[in-house]
PDB file of all heavy atoms in Angstrom:
ATOM      1  N   THR A  63      -6.683  16.627 -23.545  1.00  0.00           N
ATOM      2  CA  THR A  63      -5.534  15.824 -23.154  1.00  0.00           C
ATOM      3  C   THR A  63      -5.920  14.431 -22.578  1.00  0.00           C
ATOM      4  O   THR A  63      -5.057  13.634 -22.271  1.00  0.00           O
ATOM      5  CB  THR A  63      -4.666  16.537 -22.109  1.00  0.00           C
ATOM      6  OG1 THR A  63      -5.471  16.890 -20.998  1.00  0.00           O
ATOM      7  CG2 THR A  63      -4.083  17.843 -22.681  1.00  0.00           C
ATOM      8  N   ILE A  64      -7.210  14.233 -22.473  1.00  0.00           N
ATOM      9  CA  ILE A  64      -7.681  12.894 -21.979  1.00  0.00           C
ATOM     10  C   ILE A  64      -9.039  12.666 -22.652  1.00  0.00           C
ATOM     11  O   ILE A  64      -9.817  13.592 -22.911  1.00  0.00           O
ATOM     12  CB  ILE A  64      -7.809  12.916 -20.447  1.00  0.00           C
ATOM     13  CG1 ILE A  64      -7.894  11.503 -19.889  1.00  0.00           C
ATOM     14  CG2 ILE A  64      -8.961  13.748 -19.955  1.00  0.00           C
ATOM     15  CD1 ILE A  64      -7.762  11.471 -18.348  1.00  0.00           C
ATOM     16  N   SER A  65      -9.321  11.376 -22.964  1.00  0.00           N
ATOM     17  CA  SER A  65     -10.648  11.066 -23.528  1.00  0.00           C
ATOM     18  C   SER A  65     -11.147   9.773 -22.930  1.00  0.00           C
ATOM     19  O   SER A  65     -10.443   8.818 -22.704  1.00  0.00           O
ATOM     20  CB  SER A  65     -10.498  10.894 -25.069  1.00  0.00           C
ATOM     21  OG  SER A  65     -11.735  10.423 -25.570  1.00  0.00           O
ATOM     22  N   PHE A  66     -12.482   9.779 -22.721  1.00  0.00           N
ATOM     23  CA  PHE A  66     -13.174   8.604 -22.148  1.00  0.00           C
ATOM     24  C   PHE A  66     -14.060   7.965 -23.208  1.00  0.00           C
ATOM     25  O   PHE A  66     -14.938   7.195 -22.892  1.00  0.00           O
ATOM     26  CB  PHE A  66     -14.029   9.070 -20.937  1.00  0.00           C
ATOM     27  CG  PHE A  66     -13.215   9.657 -19.807  1.00  0.00           C
ATOM     28  CD1 PHE A  66     -12.882  10.990 -19.859  1.00  0.00           C
ATOM     29  CD2 PHE A  66     -12.733   8.887 -18.797  1.00  0.00           C
ATOM     30  CE1 PHE A  66     -12.110  11.560 -18.849  1.00  0.00           C
ATOM     31  CE2 PHE A  66     -11.984   9.408 -17.784  1.00  0.00           C
ATOM     32  CZ  PHE A  66     -11.670  10.765 -17.798  1.00  0.00           C
ATOM     33  N   ARG A  67     -13.842   8.309 -24.465  1.00  0.00           N
ATOM     34  CA  ARG A  67     -14.753   7.909 -25.565  1.00  0.00           C
ATOM     35  C   ARG A  67     -14.864   6.398 -25.639  1.00  0.00           C
ATOM     36  O   ARG A  67     -15.925   5.875 -25.959  1.00  0.00           O
ATOM     37  CB  ARG A  67     -14.263   8.514 -26.886  1.00  0.00           C
ATOM     38  CG  ARG A  67     -15.421   8.766 -27.870  1.00  0.00           C
ATOM     39  CD  ARG A  67     -15.028   9.710 -28.971  1.00  0.00           C
ATOM     40  NE  ARG A  67     -14.633  10.997 -28.479  1.00  0.00           N
ATOM     41  CZ  ARG A  67     -13.496  11.652 -28.806  1.00  0.00           C
ATOM     42  NH1 ARG A  67     -12.650  11.074 -29.598  1.00  0.00           N
ATOM     43  NH2 ARG A  67     -13.229  12.836 -28.321  1.00  0.00           N
ATOM     44  N   GLN A  68     -13.783   5.671 -25.391  1.00  0.00           N
ATOM     45  CA  GLN A  68     -13.851   4.224 -25.484  1.00  0.00           C
ATOM     46  C   GLN A  68     -13.888   3.531 -24.115  1.00  0.00           C
ATOM     47  O   GLN A  68     -13.888   2.337 -24.013  1.00  0.00           O
ATOM     48  CB  GLN A  68     -12.630   3.710 -26.236  1.00  0.00           C
ATOM     49  CG  GLN A  68     -12.545   4.210 -27.690  1.00  0.00           C
ATOM     50  CD  GLN A  68     -11.289   3.629 -28.358  1.00  0.00           C
ATOM     51  OE1 GLN A  68     -11.201   2.449 -28.561  1.00  0.00           O
ATOM     52  NE2 GLN A  68     -10.326   4.520 -28.629  1.00  0.00           N
ATOM     53  N   ALA A  69     -13.853   4.368 -23.060  1.00  0.00           N
ATOM     54  CA  ALA A  69     -13.784   3.803 -21.710  1.00  0.00           C
ATOM     55  C   ALA A  69     -15.158   3.457 -21.200  1.00  0.00           C
ATOM     56  O   ALA A  69     -16.205   3.815 -21.775  1.00  0.00           O
ATOM     57  CB  ALA A  69     -13.107   4.814 -20.762  1.00  0.00           C
ATOM     58  N   ARG A  70     -15.196   2.662 -20.113  1.00  0.00           N
ATOM     59  CA  ARG A  70     -16.435   2.362 -19.432  1.00  0.00           C
ATOM     60  C   ARG A  70     -16.304   2.631 -17.958  1.00  0.00           C
ATOM     61  O   ARG A  70     -15.195   2.762 -17.427  1.00  0.00           O
ATOM     62  CB  ARG A  70     -16.764   0.858 -19.680  1.00  0.00           C
ATOM     63  CG  ARG A  70     -16.996   0.573 -21.145  1.00  0.00           C
ATOM     64  CD  ARG A  70     -17.586  -0.776 -21.328  1.00  0.00           C
ATOM     65  NE  ARG A  70     -18.817  -0.950 -20.601  1.00  0.00           N
ATOM     66  CZ  ARG A  70     -19.490  -2.096 -20.574  1.00  0.00           C
ATOM     67  NH1 ARG A  70     -19.033  -3.154 -21.205  1.00  0.00           N
ATOM     68  NH2 ARG A  70     -20.605  -2.182 -19.891  1.00  0.00           N
ATOM     69  N   GLY A  71     -17.425   2.677 -17.255  1.00  0.00           N
ATOM     70  CA  GLY A  71     -17.357   2.937 -15.840  1.00  0.00           C
ATOM     71  C   GLY A  71     -18.465   2.190 -15.098  1.00  0.00           C
ATOM     72  O   GLY A  71     -19.548   1.918 -15.638  1.00  0.00           O
TER      73      GLY A  71
END
Side-chain angles (χ1 to χ4, degrees):
T63 57
I64 196 170
S65 172
F66 299 85
R67 209 163 299 129
Q68 298 180 67
R70 297 191 56 184

